[in-house]
Amino acid sequence: MRTKFFFCIAIATVACSGHGDGFGNDDSGPGDDSGSKNDAPFQGSDGGTKFNDGGDSGGVSVTTVYANTDDTLYSLDPQTNAVTLIGKFAGTSGASGDSSVTDIAVDSAGGVYANTESVIYKATVPTSPGTVNLTKIASISLKSAQKFYALAFTPVGSLSSGEVLIGGDGNGELYSIDTTSGTTIDLGNFGPDPSKSGNNFALSGDLVFYLDSSSKPMGLATVRSCKSNTSTCTTTNDYLVAVDVTALATAYKSSTPAATLLRGIYGGTKSSSGTGTTYGELYGLGAWEGSVFAFARGSGNNKTPLLLTISTTTGLASVVSSAFSFTNGWSGAGVTTSVTVTVPLPN
């Protein structure tokens, strides 16, 4: 769940922009700001990730991960951790107050999609730094006061014969979103927090789906612990979890929400949620080969926008870089679903 906080990313991933999640009151103290301080430099338009030709998407280099703030698209080279400015978004056409891009997703062909709280867009990514034009493709079918912050594609064949766009709303629930009509199907949430009786895990930041080395579809998410049926969540400590893609597929095909979409907790067990990442507002998430990246908004206990890596053994996050000059924080991220990722399942 998200409260009216700010941030997100996607390497296939949940986003935020004034992320309004009905669950926003902290019930714990500030997170631990430990981790490596070997900050990767912020790159200007003449450095960092390569730009390739590729039609509307602008092409996807083998070293490209996309990330966004509320109004600007960036790229991350996961081999060097260099972050490069691509350009400002242009063309949002939602209702008043719905102009901030809350997340992005990338399909298997490298096509980049973006969403605000209620609209899905196709992005035209320039082959050199410049304006990122958005074309509206669908308004999301919303329930009362519902807002969408997360976005990611599942790989071909995971839920249906093609790719399926998945979004996460401010209540921490996952939905499939039809990219033509905007129609949604409720797929469920992440169920009980094993360490806190009466608490549930709710999507807090982002999603990423990928194929492992055996071409098996897998998924990751950042979640937070929230008291059931209240707006009280721990916003200073997100958890990295594995998504149960089998349960997700069953929910999609039956149009019946899953009892839980939780496959496992990194650094935790079935009876204990472990220590978490010790960082909150991880609104961007991505996986590349054996690495898991997270982008922290830059508000609340994080103070500044952060690029992190998360250990799939301990579940703890470490700072890669805090050297970002913008002030509105990360909002989302995404990477093509055709990338092979070797991240193991949690114990």
Side-chain angles (χ1 to χ4, degrees):
M1 324 242 175
R2 294 196 198 188
T3 33
K4 205 76 176 174
F5 284 122
F6 308 86
F7 162 71
C8 274
I9 175 175
I11 277 186
T13 157
V14 168
C16 315
S17 146
H19 298 288
D21 149 88
F23 299 78
N25 301 324
D26 292 353
D27 62 3
S28 66
D32 177 13
D33 194 22
S34 62
S36 169
K37 294 299 180 181
N38 297 321
D39 292 349
F42 176 83
Q43 300 290 332
S45 62
D46 58 348
T49 305
K50 306 172 183 66
F51 291 83
N52 293 342
D53 293 336
D56 285 348
S57 70
V60 177
S61 165
V62 293
T63 56
T64 297
V65 170
Y66 292 109
N68 68 284
T69 65
D70 300 348
D71 58 13
T72 304
L73 185 65
Y74 295 81
S75 60
L76 164 72
D77 185 330
Q79 297 176 345
T80 66
N81 297 332
V83 176
T84 300
L85 171 67
I86 296 177
K88 293 276 189 179
F89 293 112
T92 55
S93 58
S96 176
D98 188 28
S99 60
S100 295
V101 174
T102 58
D103 204 4
I104 52 177
V106 187
D107 64 21
S108 60
V112 178
Y113 293 73
N115 71 294
T116 59
E117 294 175 349
S118 64
V119 179
I120 303 295
Y121 299 87
K122 181 70 182 296
T124 301
V125 180
T127 56
S128 60
T131 301
V132 181
N133 290 304
L134 301 178
T135 301
K136 180 179 176 179
I137 60 172
S139 293
I140 306 172
S141 298
L142 302 175
K143 299 177 181 178
S144 177
Q146 189 181 28
K147 299 176 180 180
F148 276 80
Y149 299 117
L151 202 66
F153 281 101
T154 59
V156 170
S158 304
L159 273 60
S160 70
S161 59
E163 298 177 277
V164 176
L165 188 62
I166 304 296
D169 72 358
N171 294 318
E173 200 88 355
L174 300 193
Y175 292 79
S176 64
I177 305 173
D178 189 299
T179 55
T180 301
S181 66
T183 301
T184 60
I185 299 173
D186 187 352
L187 304 177
N189 55 49
F190 290 92
D193 177 348
S195 291
K196 295 183 180 180
S197 178
N199 276 31
N200 287 326
F201 275 141
L203 186 72
S204 58
D206 207 358
L207 296 162
V208 56
F209 295 101
Y210 58 91
L211 296 174
D212 67 11
S213 58
S214 301
S215 296
K216 183 176 180 180
M218 309 290 285
L220 300 171
T222 47
V223 303
R224 62 177 57 160
S225 185
C226 301
K227 292 182 179 179
S228 301
N229 302 316
T230 76
S231 59
T232 302
C233 294
T234 301
T235 60
T236 55
N237 186 20
D238 288 357
Y239 295 82
L240 177 66
V241 303
V243 180
D244 188 335
V245 178
T246 299
L248 194 75
T250 298
Y252 178 76
K253 293 171 183 176
S254 66
S255 296
T256 302
T260 178
L261 296 171
L262 183 66
R263 176 74 181 269
I265 305 165
Y266 287 91
T269 65
K270 291 182 179 180
S271 59
S272 172
S273 54
T275 59
T277 63
T278 72
Y279 288 86
E281 300 182 358
L282 304 186
Y283 294 163
L285 183 66
W288 192 274
E289 296 181 345
S291 298
V292 177
F293 295 93
F295 288 69
R297 174 71 183 182
S299 63
N301 67 307
N302 295 327
K303 305 303 181 186
T304 60
L306 300 172
L307 169 61
L308 308 164
T309 55
I310 304 176
S311 168
T312 55
T313 301
T314 66
L316 296 170
S318 298
V319 175
V320 173
S321 179
S322 60
F324 303 111
S325 60
F326 51 79
T327 58
N328 60 352
W330 292 112
S331 287
V335 69
T336 174
T337 58
S338 63
V339 172
T340 297
V341 174
T342 56
V343 173
L345 286 169
N347 295 326

